[in-house]
Amino acid sequence: MDQKILLKESDIPKQWYNLAADLPTPLLPPVTPDGKPIGPEMLAPVFPMNLIEQEVSTKRWIDIPEEILNILYRWRPTPLRRAVNLEKYLGTPAHIYYKDESVSPPGSHKPNTAVPQAWYNKQFGIKNLVTETGAGQWGSALAFACKLVGLSCKVYMVRISFDQKPFRRIMMNIWGATCIASPSNETNAGRKILAEMPNTPGSLGIAISEAIESAVTDSSGKTRYALGSVLNHVLLHQTIIGLEAKKQLKIAGEKLPDIVIGCAGGGSNFAGLAFPFTADKISGANMEIIPVEPTACPTMTRGPFAYDFGDTACMTPMLAMHTLGHAFIPPPIHAGGLRYHGMAPLVCQAIIEGLFKPRAIDQVECYKAALLWAHTEGSICAPETSHAIAATIQEAKKAKEEGKEKVILFNYSGHGMMDMLGYDAYLTGKLAPYELPDTELASAEACLKQYPKAPQRKSGKW
Amino acid sequence: MDQKILLKESDIPKQWYNLAADLPTPLLPPVTPDGKPIGPEMLAPVFPMNLIEQEVSTKRWIDIPEEILNILYRWRPTPLRRAVNLEKYLGTPAHIYYKDESVSPPGSHKPNTAVPQAWYNKQFGIKNLVTETGAGQWGSALAFACKLVGLSCKVYMVRISFDQKPFRRIMMNIWGATCIASPSNETNAGRKILAEMPNTPGSLGIAISEAIESAVTDSSGKTRYALGSVLNHVLLHQTIIGLEAKKQLKIAGEKLPDIVIGCAGGGSNFAGLAFPFTADKISGANMEIIPVEPTACPTMTRGPFAYDFGDTACMTPMLAMHTLGHAFIPPPIHAGGLRYHGMAPLVCQAIIEGLFKPRAIDQVECYKAALLWAHTEGSICAPETSHAIAATIQEAKKAKEEGKEKVILFNYSGHGMMDMLGYDAYLTGKLAPYELPDTELASAEACLKQYPKAPQRKSGKW
């Protein structure tokens, strides 16, 4: 059996899978701060209607337009690889497979949704997309997609990343996007914050506020906003990952995996791999599905399930999700993509149902896992991805203890070529374990009390 | 037809192709400064005998050990892709194919030889490898290979790159290699230079001198030196690229290519793609084969064919090659891998035979080509690779003018994830065209006059 299982372009899935169709309990609707459900039309200034339709859809399968597939073929289907060398090193009877999403030109899973988002906006007559980015993985993916589809692209990038990590900013420039350090003087939100805190390093919450303001205030009507995770349609587009992986596991001679693992910041790469398998679990398959987050930002494992805003400035609708509070400032860990205060509502609802068992792992253990990975499998993963690898190693060791030949599947969400400084900090002993103090959680809960309460609906059937 | 043509692992070539077997005129032997041919035994302190045998071999096909293939499978066979979007943009009738060598974990073609070199050294009982690196592409590939094979690895890295481009240094550290800024206090060569020029930025020539000294003075006898290009056995290992590409073009329904293109610094990625097709040209096929170099370092297009040293400190044997002189200090262009004063003797001999038509292109045209590539094909190439793309665009435009449906094949030797600063310099208008002044060439020729003269043996049959 080959170490990498490849699919032909003609084998690519032709539909996305929508977990909302199969969730035992329907999702809670987004609401306004006074608790009123938000209808599709209220989102129209922010997103094009064709994407809003996907956002609220409960159809199980949604066709992928051929024009989108034609762009995805540049790097899709992605390889499913077997980590034979890590297996050997660990002496585990487990079969470890990973879906390699690092092969896209921007180097992560993000283009799986950036391309459809750009394409649907263009179909709707939109000319410009605006977004925000932290370390730059999403911003570079959207810049890439806009260039290929033919839209202009503007990215508000958290100022400290803009200054300290110029490489992804340059990537965006290569693909023709404008990249602006946030907070900026271009928006009211930005000007207000700069007036109060001229030396602020910025935050993702501020950048989201600026990007949304920039999109909705453009008088041409040809500008919309794009988000790289959290929302239903974003997760939908990512399910191509798990749908491909299913076909590939079959080629490898495996049945369904026993364990499915992905790191989770906003939830999109985890959901992309896990949702198609979640359908099997709902239908009765025996499977553990594990979203992994850093102990420094323990949204799923310690954050309450509550209505909260997506951004710091409270401009977005309120979403029912596990959250550390929209005012939460995560410590500056190197896995920039896992520092979001909230989590995708679809993922949260499945956690409540008992379908997923979230796990938090400290970044020091994660870097240790990333090093072991580089020394056995040979590739250098993104710091985000290292969380999935650390959980995989935990499970592979457990399988060894139990003497069980389990099939473990995880999502290799991105490469670490742009993240060398984090590795350097680890290698030179500058990283210490970090556990979020209880006091921080208490203040998050207090902050959320003023808003409508999300019903707690535990099913626990799984 | 798929945009990417993939091979199964079982389709990987099982032998390397040795152009030395088919060259109409045999290679000139390496010589000492007083003109005496250097025999294999004189190389024994530097390289293990199994690699020296490959270096001097004239056997046409050399078996690839299965243990090496098992490591290469991590990323090989690499995809052959068709640049349909660039074709469309240019409106050319040409079919443009490229062999994607950027998919290896270190991101270039270099591991194709780093792995066999590490493996043969280990077979010979060697425990440690020492090498030098400029920008770090070769150093990181050897670090990767040594980690997977189980050798320790030490890399002398040109000081200015060590200081200004820490990312590839960190990659080497991730794979467990020691990386030392050169000149260093660890060798006589380094100490001597530091005493004379304490603030020198270093050079590849100095780093080679330090690496060789470090290898040959190790009293354990378990240490050898490794080189990433130029030598026959290095080029041999790279021929797996062209051998795979041949199979893939057949799958794509094409006959032999009309034009084969690769960028050339020391010559290894170019040779890897081109040599298997050169055999067809020698047998009568009509084909243009074009090695591309920067106008800033025009070794093949303007340098004389002469006996010269591989390093600045004159420690290596003298090789018959096109050279700008071992004292040549190339301008600091961003394509660090194309700044070598010499060129692989096998490539040079084929140029003399008329088999290859070298071409020099300025870096500004190359970055323009790289941008067009990113905007059409979507991926960000290494600055070295952009030279191959620029030549490909020239040829595709020519095919359009002539109205000919030519098949163009080029080597996409590496990605540009570590080379953002060069792109930034281009995008912000900081790069200017650079043509090497004639005076520099005259001083190179003068310097070479004191050494044995290489016979000029032009065949011109092709």
Side-chain angles (χ1 to χ4, degrees):
Chain A
M1 174 55 59
D2 282 10
Q3 287 179 32
K4 40 192 181 304
I5 296 123
L6 306 170
L7 293 177
K8 288 193 177 154
E9 288 169 16
S10 53
D11 292 328
I12 205 168
K14 308 293 189 299
Q15 296 180 307
W16 291 300
Y17 168 68
N18 184 5
L19 181 65
D22 290 323
L23 264 188
T25 319
L27 273 190
L28 290 168
V31 298
T32 59
D34 49 9
K36 288 188 189 126
I38 285 183
E41 69 295 344
M42 291 172 74
L43 297 170
V46 184
F47 300 109
M49 197 46 77
N50 47 13
L51 284 177
I52 295 172
E53 280 164 17
Q54 290 187 353
E55 181 65 20
V56 300
S57 171
T58 53
K59 249 182 82 180
R60 182 170 292 114
W61 295 101
I62 294 179
D63 289 343
I64 311 178
E66 207 175 311
E67 293 93 330
I68 291 178
L69 290 175
N70 275 331
I71 300 179
L72 299 184
Y73 289 146
R74 286 161 199 250
W75 73 96
R76 300 208 75 85
T78 63
L80 180 78
R81 300 177 192 265
R82 180 152 174 201
V84 282
N85 305 288
L86 179 64
E87 288 173 18
K88 234 177 267 173
Y89 177 89
L90 296 172
T92 179
H95 297 189
I96 301 175
Y97 292 91
Y98 61 106
K99 186 69 172 154
D100 189 356
E101 292 297 307
S102 76
V103 299
S104 75
S108 78
H109 64 291
K110 291 289 186 191
N112 296 332
T113 183
V115 167
Q117 286 194 52
W119 188 85
Y120 281 109
N121 271 282
K122 174 127 182 173
Q123 284 296 106
F124 195 68
I126 300 304
K127 304 273 187 213
N128 322 294
L129 277 181
V130 190
T131 195
E132 73 292 324
T133 198
Q137 215 158 24
W138 167 243
S140 54
L142 193 68
F144 163 80
C146 284
K147 175 51 77 180
L148 296 190
V149 165
L151 296 179
S152 92
C153 180
K154 180 151 76 170
V155 182
Y156 288 90
M157 185 173 186
V158 175
R159 177 172 295 277
I160 186 150
S161 296
F162 185 94
D163 291 339
Q164 291 182 355
K165 299 181 177 176
F167 279 21
R168 279 224 176 79
R169 189 257 302 156
I170 300 171
M171 279 177 89
M172 298 180 226
N173 294 155
I174 290 173
W175 283 312
T178 309
C179 184
I180 298 156
S182 166
S184 75
N185 272 314
E186 300 213 349
T187 64
N188 287 330
R191 281 186 290 269
K192 182 158 173 266
I193 286 160
L194 281 178
E196 288 163 12
M197 305 180 283
N199 297 317
T200 175
S203 77
L204 203 55
I206 298 169
I208 295 179
S209 305
E210 287 205 85
I212 296 178
E213 180 187 329
S214 170
V216 301
T217 56
D218 180 66
S219 57
S220 73
K222 300 288 185 202
T223 303
R224 290 294 182 277
Y225 168 75
L227 191 66
S229 192
V230 179
L231 297 180
N232 303 340
H233 68 279
V234 181
L235 275 52
L236 176 78
H237 300 155
Q238 294 291 357
T239 59
I240 197 166
I241 301 173
L243 293 167
E244 283 181 7
K246 249 186 189 185
K247 294 189 178 195
Q248 289 164 309
L249 277 179
K250 200 171 277 180
I251 293 172
E254 307 281 5
K255 292 181 189 167
L256 285 171
D258 298 291
I259 302 167
V260 178
I261 294 170
C263 65
S268 78
N269 98 75
F270 163 75
L273 180 69
F275 281 6
F277 294 99
T278 310
D280 298 296
K281 183 161 183 171
I282 292 173
S283 306
N286 188 17
M287 204 185 297
E288 263 190 273
I289 306 180
I290 307 169
V292 188
E293 65 187 6
T295 52
C297 189
T299 314
M300 297 176 289
T301 51
R302 296 173 68 196
F305 182 75
Y307 267 120
D308 197 7
F309 298 99
D311 68 325
T312 316
C314 308
M315 291 177 71
T316 73
M318 302 199 80
L319 302 171
M321 58 184 177
H322 286 281
T323 174
L324 298 168
H326 57 271
F328 178 69
I329 306 278
I333 60 165
H334 284 282
L338 305 184
R339 296 176 69 239
Y340 187 63
H341 68 273
M343 179 55 61
L346 271 171
V347 171
C348 294
Q349 185 59 40
I351 292 172
I352 288 177
E353 301 283 354
L355 288 162
F356 303 156
K357 282 194 192 145
R359 183 178 299 182
I361 306 184
D362 185 82
Q363 68 171 346
V364 176
E365 180 176 344
C366 292
Y367 270 107
K368 200 181 154 196
L371 258 275
L372 177 57
W373 182 265
H375 291 183
T376 52
E377 289 303 312
S379 60
I380 297 175
C381 69
E384 291 83 0
T385 312
S386 74
H387 289 71
I389 295 175
T392 297
I393 292 171
Q394 290 177 349
E395 291 301 318
K397 286 180 174 171
K398 197 175 149 203
K400 185 182 178 181
E401 282 162 24
E402 299 171 347
K404 286 188 186 159
E405 201 181 81
K406 292 182 186 170
V407 174
I408 304 175
L409 170 67
F410 79 90
N411 201 5
Y412 191 86
S413 55
H415 65 59
M417 293 293 115
M418 301 309 221
D419 303 282
M420 290 297 149
L421 297 178
Y423 277 96
D424 202 40
Y426 172 73
L427 288 168
T428 53
K430 283 179 196 132
L431 295 188
Y434 181 88
E435 197 82 30
L436 197 72
D438 285 336
T439 47
E440 290 246 17
L441 284 172
S443 76
E445 300 214 18
C447 145
L448 292 168
K449 272 197 182 142
Q450 61 189 297
Y451 299 108
K453 228 179 150 194
Q456 307 291 310
R457 305 174 303 171
K458 201 154 200 113
S459 107
K461 187 173 149 198
W462 288 273
Chain B
M1 175 54 60
D2 282 9
Q3 286 178 32
K4 40 193 178 306
I5 296 122
L6 307 169
L7 293 177
K8 289 194 176 151
E9 288 170 16
S10 53
D11 292 328
I12 205 169
K14 307 294 189 299
Q15 297 180 306
W16 291 300
Y17 168 68
N18 185 5
L19 182 64
D22 290 324
L23 264 189
T25 319
L27 273 190
L28 290 167
V31 297
T32 58
D34 50 8
K36 287 186 190 127
I38 284 182
E41 69 294 343
M42 291 171 75
L43 297 169
V46 184
F47 299 110
M49 197 46 76
N50 47 14
L51 284 177
I52 296 172
E53 279 163 18
Q54 290 187 352
E55 181 65 20
V56 300
S57 171
T58 53
K59 250 181 81 179
R60 181 171 291 114
W61 295 101
I62 294 179
D63 289 344
I64 310 179
E66 207 175 311
E67 293 92 330
I68 290 178
L69 291 176
N70 274 331
I71 301 180
L72 298 184
Y73 290 146
R74 286 160 199 250
W75 73 96
R76 303 209 73 86
T78 62
L80 180 78
R81 301 178 191 266
R82 181 153 174 198
V84 280
N85 306 287
L86 179 63
E87 287 174 18
K88 233 177 268 171
Y89 177 89
L90 295 173
T92 178
H95 298 189
I96 301 175
Y97 292 90
Y98 61 108
K99 186 69 172 154
D100 188 356
E101 292 297 307
S102 76
V103 298
S104 75
S108 79
H109 65 291
K110 291 289 187 190
N112 296 332
T113 183
V115 167
Q117 286 193 52
W119 188 85
Y120 281 109
N121 271 282
K122 174 128 180 171
Q123 284 294 107
F124 195 68
I126 299 304
K127 304 277 186 208
N128 323 293
L129 276 180
V130 190
T131 196
E132 74 291 322
T133 198
Q137 217 160 23
W138 167 243
S140 54
L142 193 67
F144 162 80
C146 284
K147 175 51 78 181
L148 297 189
V149 163
L151 296 179
S152 92
C153 180
K154 182 152 76 170
V155 183
Y156 289 89
M157 185 172 186
V158 175
R159 177 173 294 276
I160 187 150
S161 296
F162 185 94
D163 292 338
Q164 291 183 353
K165 298 182 179 174
F167 280 21
R168 279 224 177 80
R169 190 256 305 156
I170 300 170
M171 280 178 88
M172 297 179 226
N173 294 155
I174 290 173
W175 283 312
T178 309
C179 184
I180 298 156
S182 166
S184 76
N185 272 313
E186 300 212 351
T187 64
N188 286 330
R191 282 186 290 269
K192 183 159 174 264
I193 287 161
L194 281 178
E196 289 163 10
M197 304 180 285
N199 297 318
T200 175
S203 76
L204 203 55
I206 297 169
I208 296 179
S209 305
E210 285 204 89
I212 296 179
E213 181 187 327
S214 169
V216 301
T217 57
D218 180 65
S219 57
S220 73
K222 299 291 185 199
T223 303
R224 290 292 183 280
Y225 168 76
L227 192 67
S229 192
V230 178
L231 298 180
N232 303 339
H233 68 280
V234 181
L235 276 52
L236 176 78
H237 300 155
Q238 294 291 357
T239 58
I240 197 166
I241 301 173
L243 293 167
E244 284 180 7
K246 249 186 191 185
K247 293 188 178 192
Q248 289 163 309
L249 277 179
K250 201 173 276 178
I251 292 171
E254 305 282 5
K255 292 185 189 163
L256 285 170
D258 298 291
I259 302 167
V260 178
I261 294 170
C263 65
S268 78
N269 98 74
F270 162 74
L273 180 69
F275 280 7
F277 294 99
T278 310
D280 297 297
K281 182 159 184 174
I282 292 173
S283 307
N286 188 17
M287 202 185 296
E288 261 190 275
I289 306 180
I290 307 168
V292 188
E293 64 188 6
T295 52
C297 189
T299 314
M300 296 176 291
T301 51
R302 296 173 68 198
F305 181 75
Y307 267 120
D308 196 7
F309 298 98
D311 68 325
T312 316
C314 309
M315 290 176 72
T316 72
M318 302 198 82
L319 301 171
M321 59 185 178
H322 285 282
T323 175
L324 298 167
H326 56 270
F328 178 69
I329 307 278
I333 60 166
H334 284 281
L338 306 184
R339 295 176 69 239
Y340 187 64
H341 68 274
M343 180 54 62
L346 271 172
V347 171
C348 294
Q349 184 59 40
I351 293 172
I352 289 177
E353 300 283 354
L355 287 162
F356 303 156
K357 280 194 193 147
R359 180 179 302 182
I361 306 184
D362 186 82
Q363 68 170 345
V364 176
E365 179 176 345
C366 292
Y367 270 108
K368 198 180 157 197
L371 259 278
L372 177 57
W373 182 263
H375 291 183
T376 52
E377 290 304 312
S379 60
I380 297 175
C381 69
E384 291 83 0
T385 311
S386 74
H387 290 71
I389 295 174
T392 297
I393 292 172
Q394 291 177 349
E395 291 301 317
K397 286 180 175 171
K398 196 176 148 200
K400 185 181 179 181
E401 283 163 22
E402 299 171 346
K404 287 189 187 158
E405 200 181 82
K406 290 181 188 171
V407 174
I408 304 175
L409 169 67
F410 80 88
N411 201 5
Y412 191 86
S413 54
H415 65 60
M417 293 293 114
M418 302 308 223
D419 304 282
M420 290 296 150
L421 297 179
Y423 278 95
D424 202 41
Y426 173 73
L427 288 168
T428 54
K430 285 179 196 132
L431 294 188
Y434 182 88
E435 197 81 33
L436 197 72
D438 286 337
T439 48
E440 289 246 17
L441 284 172
S443 76
E445 301 214 20
C447 145
L448 292 168
K449 272 196 180 142
Q450 61 188 295
Y451 299 107
K453 227 177 154 197
Q456 307 291 309
R457 303 174 306 171
K458 202 153 198 112
S459 106
K461 187 174 150 197
W462 288 273

